[in-house]
């Protein structure tokens, strides 16, 4: 269970889990501040603006929200402010906390922040890092996407769909694999909704397109004849469980 606290910050608010971090301030969301402490482990740009940081609560992932697609050049990392509870960072933090409460394998939310700039805001989210994990896309590239792993992927997605957890970008980069199991990450714009065949099928179709894009079909007929049917079969069995 999370101990969710909200505190005022410069130009906005910080939402954090007091059970994991007794105090969080604006420096937590600044990679340079972690670098000055020797606690910045890695940093990557791109849409996510992701940094790996060593926090008092453990190794964590700091993500700055950025837009993708054609609007990115125009609006970048700015979003229309319609209330603190409706910011993307706050929504994702609370959704992750609820999914974790239900026993689903997601990264634990540590802290979220938004900073207002007039009618717009910018946002960040910190989650605990899944240790020694690789993405499903990396496993495909390494030739490790076999029938057993395919079944585990189907079972994973079924667990979330049974709870009505809709992922806005279900793809091979957002499924992590480590020695403990599989995890689903990056729930930006995700939400809980009443399960329906329509959105569940669309979610699975998105995952299939992603697997094909990262090369799962390059081994010949194996993907279409064995691997994807294994995903679907395990999904259907898991969803009915």
């Amino acid at each position: 269970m999370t101990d969710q606290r909200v505190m005022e910050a410069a130009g906005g608010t910080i939402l954090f889990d007091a059970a994991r971090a007794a105090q969080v301030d604006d420096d937590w969301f600044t990679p340079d501040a972690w670098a000055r402490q020797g606690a910045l482990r890695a940093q990557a740009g791109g849409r996510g603006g992701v940094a790996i940081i060593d926090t008092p609560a453990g190794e964590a992932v700091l993500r700055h929200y950025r837009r993708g697609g054609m609007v990115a050049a125009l609006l970048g990392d700015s979003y229309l402010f319609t209330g603190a509870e409706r910011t993307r960072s706050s929504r994702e933090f609370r959704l992750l906390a609820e999914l974790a409460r239900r026993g689903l394998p997601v990264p634990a939310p540590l802290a979220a922040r938004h900073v207002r700039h007039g009618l717009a805001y910018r946002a960040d989210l910190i989650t605990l890092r899944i240790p020694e994990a690789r993405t499903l896309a990396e496993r495909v590239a390494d030739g490790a996407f076999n029938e057993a792993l395919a079944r585990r992927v189907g079972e994973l997605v079924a667990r979330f769909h049974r709870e009505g957890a809709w992922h806005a970008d279900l793809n091979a980069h957002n499924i992590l694999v480590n020695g403990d199991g599989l995890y689903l990450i990056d729930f930006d714009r995700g939400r809980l909704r009443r399960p329906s065949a329509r959105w569940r099928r669309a979610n699975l179709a998105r995952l299939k397109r992603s697997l094909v894009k990262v090369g799962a079909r390059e081994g010949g007929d194996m993907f279409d004849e064995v691997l994807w049917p294994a995903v679907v079969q395990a999904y259907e069995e898991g969803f009915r469980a």
Side-chain angles (χ1 to χ4, degrees):
M1 294 290 289
T2 58
D3 181 7
Q4 298 181 24
R5 307 283 182 89
V6 178
M7 61 176 289
E8 296 299 318
T13 62
I14 293 174
L15 170 63
F16 67 102
D17 181 3
R20 297 183 183 273
Q23 187 172 1
V24 176
D25 58 29
D26 283 302
D27 279 349
W28 279 58
F29 303 92
T30 307
D32 286 347
W34 293 106
R36 289 192 294 271
Q37 302 175 40
L40 179 62
R41 300 294 172 240
Q43 186 173 8
R47 179 183 175 188
V50 172
I52 308 301
I53 55 178
D54 191 9
T55 78
E59 198 169 53
V61 178
L62 165 60
R63 188 174 90 243
H64 183 66
Y65 287 81
R66 295 184 185 278
R67 293 181 181 274
M70 296 179 62
V71 296
L74 193 64
L75 298 175
D77 60 353
S78 294
Y79 301 87
L80 179 65
F81 184 79
T82 58
E85 291 296 315
R86 296 178 61 81
T87 59
R88 291 171 88 138
S89 52
S90 177
R91 283 184 165 184
E92 187 169 358
F93 180 104
R94 296 190 189 281
L95 177 57
L96 287 173
E98 175 59 20
L99 295 177
R101 187 190 69 81
R102 298 186 184 194
L104 293 170
V106 295
L110 188 55
R113 178 185 72 160
H114 78 270
V115 179
R116 289 189 64 181
H117 303 276
L119 296 177
Y121 74 92
R122 294 183 173 89
D124 307 272
L125 178 71
I126 302 175
T127 56
L128 289 183
R129 190 182 189 193
I130 306 298
E132 300 178 356
R134 305 188 70 193
T135 68
L136 181 59
E138 290 173 318
R139 299 301 298 269
V140 170
D142 290 343
F145 185 52
N146 54 27
E147 187 174 356
L149 180 54
R151 289 193 58 84
R152 293 170 68 196
V153 169
E155 292 165 358
L156 174 78
V157 178
R159 289 182 63 187
F160 282 87
H161 284 185
R162 281 203 315 268
E163 295 290 335
W166 175 75
H167 194 291
D169 191 16
L170 185 62
N171 65 54
H173 298 282
N174 287 330
I175 295 176
L176 298 186
V177 185
N178 72 4
D180 296 326
L182 274 64
Y183 301 81
L184 196 50
I185 65 170
D186 193 357
F187 270 86
D188 181 25
R189 296 182 294 115
R191 59 190 175 95
L192 291 171
R193 58 195 301 187
R194 186 174 181 177
S196 75
R198 181 177 180 180
W199 70 254
R200 291 192 295 111
R201 284 195 301 265
N203 239 194
L204 284 172
R206 189 181 189 94
L207 176 59
K208 183 179 182 180
R209 290 194 300 270
S210 172
L211 285 167
V212 171
K213 186 175 181 180
V214 300
R217 190 175 270 163
E218 292 177 3
D221 297 331
M222 184 72 170
F223 178 78
D224 292 303
E225 294 182 359
V226 177
L227 299 180
W228 185 250
V231 172
V232 174
Q233 181 181 9
Y235 172 84
E236 295 294 349
E237 292 171 354
F239 187 78
R240 293 193 300 266

